[in-house]
Amino acid sequence: MKRRQFLHYASVGTAGLLASPALAQDSDAQPGKLQRFDGQDVFTRILDKSSAENWKRLPIGELIGKIAIQLKGTPYVGFTLELSRDVESCVVNLNGLDCVTFFEDALCMARMIKRGRGTPEDLLAEVRTTRYRGGKMGDFTTRLHYTTDWFVDNQAKGVVKILTPELPGAEPFTQKVGIMSEHPDHYRQLAAHPELLPAIRATEEKINARSLKYLPMDKLEAAEPLLQTGDIVGVATTEEGIDIAHTGLCIRDEQGVVHFMDASSSRRNMKVTLEPQISKCLNWSSKLTGVMIARPLEVRAGKPTTSKARRPLFPSKLDRPILRPRTANHRQLHVVPLLKGSRVGEVFEFDYAGRIGGRGLVIMHQHAIAMPLELLRQKQPADSSVM
């Protein structure tokens, strides 16, 4: 990719999203080494602070926010994933981040901490789960290059929930992708291996066949009360062949203002930056049309998800009662019947509206515990109410 092309993509915020490997040809690639980790000092500093302040106890979104703040000021560096034209490698570089690796590394480090783990290999395992289709790394085509594809695949894996359809004012997303198959010469592995192109085209066709929604920019401010720290933001664009031009995170401050945090490629920043209020700062290009939002989900026990996507927590419709017993400290704890995919005693955290299966059943508090229906009938307290 020529400098003029790079500046064009940087100006619309896509340089880090669909990075051209042509700019990474001088990398000290080690073909045959399938993973690489850089930034041990940063990694250790964050883990030490997490341990000292017991971040593991925090909800996943708050934990992501803590990690993101620790990454503030990290230089913007594009194309860190492109080490070789022949071999796909799983790369984490905490010394330099682009807009995607910023939110993905913060998310994956939070998931690692939640599991009680703390080695670079553990972080790389989490990154493989989120970065590759079905959580399984193969060749270049298995990487989730388009952000909407990342959202959909990671929702299927139980990593995030796409919130956009539930936000007031959401509209159908009609933008089509295709830049990778139309310009394979901009991608080192595609230029070197044209046999990969059919798989890329097939993926683009699947993406273009999906029915997704986005939130127009003029509806974003009204939706801010529904956003939480750690929510992942994809900024939609009309740039031809691209779905999402830029990505970042929501950070809600102590005054309740929702900020946008990103690895900024703006010439005045070129680093991880805490931006102003999200509805006021996504205006650097007239081609930016709105946002998509995905909320990270709490980590379930066990190893990172691989190729098997776990089943949804709840079915699309509940035909059994949800009970609301009072606990000893007078805080409400929801109890739900033992449903397929849940375990006895498992505690779940609901999303902002408490919607089950996206069908509108509203839970006013944020946690539930699964128990067998027979036990619920036996133990139903006198002050319980059925919703």
Side-chain angles (χ1 to χ4, degrees):
M1 180 185 287
K2 296 178 181 179
R3 175 175 174 80
R4 181 177 297 176
Q5 292 171 311
F6 169 72
L7 292 175
H8 166 69
Y9 288 124
S11 69
V12 296
T14 59
L17 284 161
L18 297 165
S20 166
L23 292 183
Q25 288 179 355
D26 293 330
S27 165
D28 56 342
Q30 301 180 42
K33 185 175 182 181
L34 299 181
Q35 64 183 38
R36 175 167 169 170
F37 177 85
D38 292 299
Q40 181 67 54
D41 290 348
V42 177
F43 183 77
T44 300
R45 171 172 55 81
I46 293 175
L47 283 188
D48 286 348
K49 193 168 183 63
S50 169
S51 178
E53 299 179 5
N54 194 19
W55 289 356
K56 184 181 178 181
R57 65 179 169 77
L58 297 173
I60 186 75
E62 294 294 327
L63 177 50
I64 291 169
K66 292 281 190 182
I67 295 167
I69 294 298
Q70 290 299 308
L71 294 171
K72 184 179 178 182
T74 303
Y76 178 94
V77 179
F79 321 117
T80 59
L81 307 187
E82 318 302 340
L83 299 185
S84 169
R85 69 177 187 177
D86 299 314
V87 177
E88 177 67 11
S89 297
C90 184
V91 179
V92 170
N93 183 357
L94 299 177
N95 293 324
L97 300 167
D98 63 31
C99 66
V100 173
T101 59
F102 163 63
F103 85 74
E104 190 174 50
D105 289 354
L107 165 68
C108 290
M109 187 171 286
R111 290 174 60 81
M112 178 195 71
I113 290 171
K114 281 286 190 177
R115 295 186 199 278
R117 300 177 184 272
T119 69
E121 289 74 19
D122 294 327
L123 178 55
L124 285 160
E126 296 290 348
V127 169
R128 279 193 295 272
T129 296
T130 62
R131 186 174 294 167
Y132 295 95
R133 184 163 291 102
K136 190 172 183 179
M137 186 180 81
D139 62 23
F140 180 74
T141 67
T142 65
R143 198 196 306 173
L144 299 165
H145 298 280
Y146 292 101
T147 306
T148 56
D149 202 23
W150 190 100
F151 276 20
V152 169
D153 193 75
N154 277 283
Q155 178 168 259
K157 291 179 294 202
V159 175
V160 302
K161 176 180 178 179
I162 301 174
L163 292 186
T164 323
E166 300 175 12
L167 298 177
E171 297 180 3
F173 183 67
T174 59
Q175 181 75 0
K176 303 302 182 184
V177 301
I179 192 171
M180 295 184 70
S181 62
E182 292 168 6
H183 301 282
D185 55 311
H186 293 175
Y187 302 87
R188 287 179 68 193
Q189 292 197 47
L190 292 184
H193 297 278
E195 68 274 12
L196 300 178
L197 270 175
I200 292 292
R201 289 195 185 97
T203 295
E204 291 172 341
E205 290 173 2
K206 289 180 181 179
I207 294 170
N208 290 334
R210 290 175 181 146
S211 296
L212 300 175
K213 289 193 173 183
Y214 82 111
L215 187 69
M217 287 296 185
D218 60 358
K219 305 294 177 58
L220 180 53
E221 186 172 8
E224 281 183 4
L226 304 176
L227 303 181
Q228 296 179 0
T229 293
D231 287 349
I232 300 166
V233 182
V235 185
T237 181
T238 58
E239 183 75 18
E240 186 176 354
I242 298 170
D243 52 358
I244 298 297
H246 192 48
T247 59
L249 294 169
C250 291
I251 303 290
R252 184 181 288 276
D253 67 19
E254 294 180 354
Q255 288 72 44
V257 177
V258 179
H259 295 260
F260 181 64
M261 191 168 189
D262 64 339
S264 174
S265 60
S266 166
R267 292 179 181 177
R268 71 178 184 276
N269 285 330
M270 292 298 290
K271 61 186 177 184
V272 174
T273 305
L274 183 63
E275 309 283 2
Q277 184 177 353
I278 188 170
S279 60
K280 309 296 184 185
C281 70
L282 301 179
N283 55 7
W284 68 86
S285 170
S286 61
K287 293 187 176 183
L288 303 180
T289 58
V291 298
M292 291 187 179
I293 307 290
R295 176 158 297 162
L297 300 177
E298 290 296 334
V299 176
R300 301 185 74 180
K303 295 181 179 180
T305 306
T306 53
S307 57
K308 281 192 176 181
R310 69 177 174 89
R311 298 178 63 85
L313 177 61
F314 295 104
S316 60
K317 185 181 292 186
L318 275 178
D319 57 2
R320 297 175 179 175
I322 292 184
L323 307 179
R324 298 187 299 170
R326 294 275 184 178
T327 62
N329 63 359
H330 303 294
R331 296 180 65 185
Q332 289 198 336
L333 176 68
H334 299 280
V335 181
V336 299
L338 186 65
L339 301 172
K340 192 169 186 178
S342 64
R343 297 188 295 274
V344 174
E346 188 169 10
V347 177
F348 307 105
E349 183 174 2
F350 289 93
D351 63 33
Y352 74 91
R355 296 178 184 272
I356 293 182
R359 297 304 178 99
L361 182 57
V362 178
I363 307 295
M364 297 307 294
H365 295 267
Q366 290 186 324
H367 292 83
I369 185 168
M371 298 178 68
L373 186 61
E374 295 75 17
L375 184 59
L376 292 182
R377 288 169 176 159
Q378 295 171 13
K379 301 289 186 180
Q380 181 172 346
D383 64 346
S384 295
S385 60
V386 177
M387 297 181 68

